[in-house]
Amino acid sequence: MAEVIRMPLLSDTMTEGVIAEWHKKVGDTVKADDVIAEVETDKATMEVMGYVEGTLLYIGVEKGKAAKVNGIIAIVGKPGEDYSSLLEDKKEATAAPAPAAAAPAPQTAPAAAAPADDAALKEALKNATVIRMPLLSDTMTEGKIVAWNKKVGDVVKSDDVLAEVETDKATMEVIGYADGTLLYIGVKEGDAAKVNGIIAIVGKAGTNVDAILAAENGAPATTAAAAPAAQNGTTAAPAPQAAPVAASNSTDGRVKASPLAKKLAEEKGIDISQVPGSGDGGRIVKKDVDNFVPAAKAAPATQTAAAPAAPAFVPAGQEGFTDVPLTKMRQVIARRLSESKFSAPHFYLKIDVNMDKAMDARKAINEISPVKISFNDMVIKASAMALRQHPDVNSSWMGDYIRQNQHIHIGSAVAIEDGLIVPVIRFADQKTLSQIATEAKSLYDKAKNKKLQPQEFSGNTFSISNLGMLGIDEFTAIINPPDSAILAVGGIKETAVVEKGQIKTANIMKLTLSCDHRSVDGAVGARFLATLKGFLENPVTMLV
């Protein structure tokens, strides 16, 4: 059965995307994890996967042309399959043709023939728009519904936030880009849906969506009928789903706020009643909390909310354990780093750096800098300048070719409660230390508050992981795909060294470069480290 590939929502402000490149052509075989196109949004250029397998039957948007979010850009199915019915609906509300007897005809007819099924499907598609789980990050395969902001039967505007979705990296708002009545909710709060899976249907009040659901599931309508819809049917199914949705719309006293906004306000110690709302009827949404500057007295509440609970211990001599469910972020970390470690042949290069002059330089810089410069900021700047001289290290292994990146985007790993995320300092070689420090601090704060947007944690060409501030002298890091190398930074430690036959002390920092041997040779990595060492040991050279 042919399946539609739609323009995904790749940033919170995106309304359309421009096809920068097609990686497949009509007739090509497509796998679920194939990158079929590159899309330029209002903030970045990102790769789009179809998450379906088959043959590429149709390309709906030429290279260089734009498509609205949720608009059809391609169709994948069996070779020679007729997909014309998928393109007939001007609204492009997705669904594939239902097989024979997939949905019984409405009213009292005892059975439905295939033409009746097709007619019911086309009629439903004319009056309804399917809302699918958007692709909200480059590594996302599914999203968990944190909260529904609408319930079945509510009137929906095209710019309304329908739901809040937790991905592997952040919690983001999902906009339906459709006007009408919310006819169907396909995923309960707390449950996950695959990217491109149906999460809701919006359309004309009273529209029967059973044919759309049956076509999507490839199953008889009796299966689809278990899902609630805004019809006058006699099934008891609507009540179970309506209940949690209605519960999610409950307000905190007289304050109208989304569940995500309440959660963020609680985490930040903000009195939600003090936040002005910009949503429907003054409703407080996520961006209102993000932009709100709390009063000074909110600080103690923040500390109280952030205080970790004491670990539970069992009595002496008694065994016990706690099973902790995996978050989406932890699942993706496990998958991607396992793929990196076991597919990329890692090798490691270590070097000692004398940081005496860097410490003096940092002290002098911070006396005049508008922002505080950290040693990590200096490492980012030095690494970016060293990459400019050694482009082989600033590369990506692409399977059958090596991509040498002409831009330098450095990812700086940050540990947060759910795992590890890598905000990206773009064009780091072109920025001053003050600019790097300002941008890095902003990104780290966003990461800890789970407010990073996709363009802020994607596109890295080289990565840095720094555990020196945690007292670690040296360690090795796993390469962060698609990079060819990652730099592990240890702490600065006063060490006895021999110089010209004399024993003296110096402040030494240990660096370890993990390299992908498929794209970076040992000598290439060694020369890069030597250049990096030179910049850090004599920081004035970074200013020349």
Side-chain angles (χ1 to χ4, degrees):
M1 183 173 66
E3 297 191 55
V4 168
I5 310 300
R6 296 180 171 273
M7 176 63 71
L9 181 70
L10 299 172
S11 82
D12 57 335
T13 58
M14 176 182 172
T15 58
E16 66 178 15
V18 176
I19 300 294
E21 189 70 49
W22 280 105
H23 292 296
K24 299 288 183 178
K25 62 181 183 295
V26 172
D28 284 356
T29 299
V30 176
K31 296 181 180 178
D33 57 354
D34 280 351
V35 175
I36 62 172
E38 291 180 15
V39 170
E40 180 182 341
T41 73
D42 55 327
K43 295 182 178 178
T45 298
M46 299 180 67
E47 297 176 335
V48 172
M49 296 183 192
Y51 297 101
V52 294
E53 296 190 353
T55 298
L56 185 58
L57 304 176
Y58 169 80
I59 288 179
V61 184
E62 297 178 7
K63 177 181 175 181
K65 297 294 181 65
K68 295 289 185 183
V69 169
N70 212 36
I72 294 176
I73 60 173
I75 296 177
V76 174
K78 297 178 181 179
E81 186 174 356
D82 181 13
Y83 57 84
S84 58
S85 61
L86 296 175
L87 302 175
E88 289 179 3
D89 180 35
K90 298 298 182 183
K91 290 183 179 180
E92 292 182 339
T94 72
Q107 313 303 330
T108 57
D117 293 335
D118 289 341
L121 178 60
K122 291 176 182 178
E123 181 65 24
L125 292 177
K126 288 179 181 178
N127 296 311
T129 299
V130 172
I131 311 300
R132 295 181 176 270
M133 177 62 71
L135 181 70
L136 298 172
S137 82
D138 56 337
T139 58
M140 176 182 172
T141 58
E142 65 179 17
K144 183 173 75 173
I145 300 293
V146 175
W148 280 104
N149 297 332
K150 300 287 184 180
K151 62 181 184 293
V152 171
D154 282 355
V155 174
V156 175
K157 297 179 181 178
S158 61
D159 58 352
D160 280 350
V161 176
L162 294 182
E164 281 126 16
V165 171
E166 177 187 321
T167 73
D168 54 311
K169 294 182 177 178
T171 299
M172 300 179 67
E173 296 174 336
V174 172
I175 299 173
Y177 298 101
D179 291 318
T181 299
L182 184 56
L183 305 173
Y184 168 80
I185 288 178
V187 184
K188 296 179 182 178
E189 286 186 8
D191 289 350
K194 296 289 186 183
V195 168
N196 213 36
I198 292 179
I199 59 173
I201 299 177
V202 173
K204 183 178 178 181
T207 300
N208 190 320
V209 298
D210 287 349
I212 296 176
L213 299 174
E216 176 76 12
N217 298 327
T222 51
T223 301
Q231 282 93 29
N232 295 321
T234 58
T235 65
Q241 274 210 358
V245 176
S248 72
N249 270 347
S250 64
T251 57
D252 183 10
R254 289 173 292 177
V255 178
K256 293 177 65 177
S258 73
L260 179 57
K262 293 178 184 178
K263 180 181 177 182
L264 287 175
E266 182 181 355
E267 290 175 350
K268 292 185 173 185
I270 295 174
D271 182 355
I272 193 72
S273 64
Q274 297 179 3
V275 180
S278 62
D280 295 339
R283 185 171 181 271
I284 301 167
V285 295
K286 175 177 177 286
K287 67 178 181 180
D288 298 326
V289 179
D290 291 342
N291 297 330
F292 179 72
V293 179
K297 64 182 181 181
T302 304
Q303 294 173 359
T304 302
F313 291 99
V314 296
Q318 181 177 332
E319 296 181 347
F321 61 85
T322 300
D323 292 331
V324 180
L326 293 177
T327 62
K328 298 299 177 189
M329 177 178 287
R330 179 57 63 185
Q331 292 174 17
V332 171
I333 289 172
R335 176 176 58 80
R336 282 173 58 83
L337 292 186
S338 295
E339 290 171 355
S340 174
K341 182 66 175 178
F342 297 114
S343 64
H346 286 53
F347 72 91
Y348 309 97
L349 301 172
K350 300 182 180 182
I351 198 168
D352 291 348
V353 178
N354 187 324
M355 295 292 286
D356 286 345
K357 290 184 179 180
M359 294 175 72
D360 293 338
R362 176 175 177 264
K363 182 178 179 181
I365 290 170
N366 279 333
E367 290 178 356
I368 60 173
S369 174
V371 294
K372 185 177 180 180
I373 307 298
S374 69
F375 287 113
N376 197 61
D377 298 328
M378 299 179 74
V379 172
I380 291 174
K381 176 65 174 177
S383 297
M385 297 187 67
L387 288 170
R388 180 59 65 200
Q389 296 186 27
H390 303 278
D392 287 345
V393 182
N394 192 49
S395 63
S396 304
W397 177 260
M398 306 302 291
D400 52 357
Y401 62 92
I402 296 172
R403 173 174 295 169
Q404 284 193 357
N405 299 293
Q406 297 174 354
H407 56 278
I408 296 174
H409 295 344
I410 294 189
S412 182
V414 177
I416 60 177
E417 183 179 352
D418 292 335
L420 190 71
I421 194 167
V422 186
V424 178
I425 311 292
R426 296 178 181 276
F427 306 106
D429 58 317
Q430 303 172 26
K431 294 178 177 176
T432 65
L433 279 169
S434 296
Q435 289 174 322
I436 289 174
T438 301
E439 186 173 339
K441 184 180 185 305
S442 174
L443 290 172
Y444 299 159
D445 289 343
K446 285 185 177 181
K448 291 173 182 176
N449 292 320
K450 299 190 74 174
K451 296 194 300 182
L452 282 177
Q453 299 302 309
Q455 70 277 2
E456 294 174 323
F457 53 72
S458 60
N460 46 285
T461 62
F462 183 84
S463 296
I464 294 173
S465 180
N466 190 339
L467 293 178
M469 69 286 291
L470 298 178
I472 301 300
D473 291 337
E474 64 177 302
F475 67 103
T476 58
I478 299 174
I479 295 169
N480 180 32
D483 299 348
S484 287
I486 184 171
L487 184 70
V489 181
I492 300 174
K493 186 176 182 181
E494 190 173 19
T495 306
V497 297
V498 178
E499 184 175 318
K500 296 181 180 180
Q502 301 293 319
I503 298 177
K504 56 178 291 188
T505 59
N507 291 287
I508 301 298
M509 179 173 69
K510 296 180 181 294
L511 302 178
T512 304
L513 184 69
S514 304
C515 301
D516 184 343
H517 217 325
R518 297 174 298 182
S519 49
V520 178
D521 292 331
V524 172
R527 286 193 289 268
F528 166 80
L529 277 182
T531 301
L532 176 59
K533 175 184 172 77
F535 283 132
L536 290 172
E537 290 190 339
N538 193 11
V540 71
T541 58
M542 288 192 282
L543 307 177
V544 177

